[in-house]
Amino acid sequence: MRGTLLGAALGILPGGGPVLSAFSAYSLEKKVAKDPSRFGRGAIEGVAGPEAANNAAAQTSFIPMLTLGLPSNATMALMIGALMMQGLHAGPQLMRDRPELFWGLVASMWIGNVMLVILNLPLVGIWAKCLTVPYRYSIRAFS
């Protein structure tokens, strides 16, 4: 929960973004941990907190892009470039001139998150089973 809140707060700021959020969440989790020596050795707090912050910041970084036209990271700069190639300008005028595009984008994020929950809840056992694959086999599959 701490990672999500920190990531969302830093993602809203122009210039924040997912990378800053992940590092900040790791630092925060390490500071509040009862035993910080576990960090760097697979402590779940050191993995889950930064990942939650990364995901929250990736979603909330759309806010300054769509409302102010300010990209908070390279991905949002590419999104603004894609909008400009289509003759659209991010910022308040996008919401005024093309509300169907703006609200369609917001709705697509909600629908995508719901679909992820629906797909991943039944498949969580399969994803956990992937952890039992020996390292030497998994590295070969991706090289």
Side-chain angles (χ1 to χ4, degrees):
M1 193 56 129
R2 282 188 296 262
T4 300
L5 293 173
L6 181 63
L10 290 175
I12 289 173
L13 298 174
V19 176
L20 176 63
S21 298
F23 280 108
S24 299
Y26 183 81
S27 177
L28 175 67
E29 291 298 331
K30 195 169 182 179
K31 285 181 183 176
V32 299
K34 290 183 172 90
D35 183 16
S37 66
R38 297 181 313 120
F39 283 72
R41 293 181 175 74
I44 191 66
E45 300 91 353
V47 177
E51 184 60 26
N54 175 37
N55 292 336
Q59 293 290 320
T60 57
S61 63
F62 276 93
I63 295 170
M65 184 196 78
L66 291 173
T67 59
L68 303 172
L70 296 173
S72 60
N73 53 44
T75 305
M76 292 301 112
L78 286 172
M79 294 287 289
I80 285 181
L83 287 171
M84 292 173 94
M85 288 174 60
Q86 299 299 318
L88 303 168
H89 299 284
Q93 63 270 25
L94 179 68
M95 289 181 272
R96 184 190 64 218
D97 298 340
R98 300 286 302 270
E100 71 282 353
L101 179 74
F102 174 78
W103 290 111
L105 181 63
V106 171
S108 73
M109 289 183 200
W110 280 96
I111 291 168
N113 282 323
V114 169
M115 288 175 61
L116 280 173
V117 169
I118 291 170
L119 287 172
N120 281 326
L121 284 178
L123 298 174
V124 72
I126 294 171
W127 305 136
K129 196 77 167 157
C130 289
L131 295 173
T132 63
V133 175
Y135 179 72
R136 63 182 179 273
Y137 294 131
S138 65
I139 201 70
R140 233 181 247 155
F142 296 110
S143 61

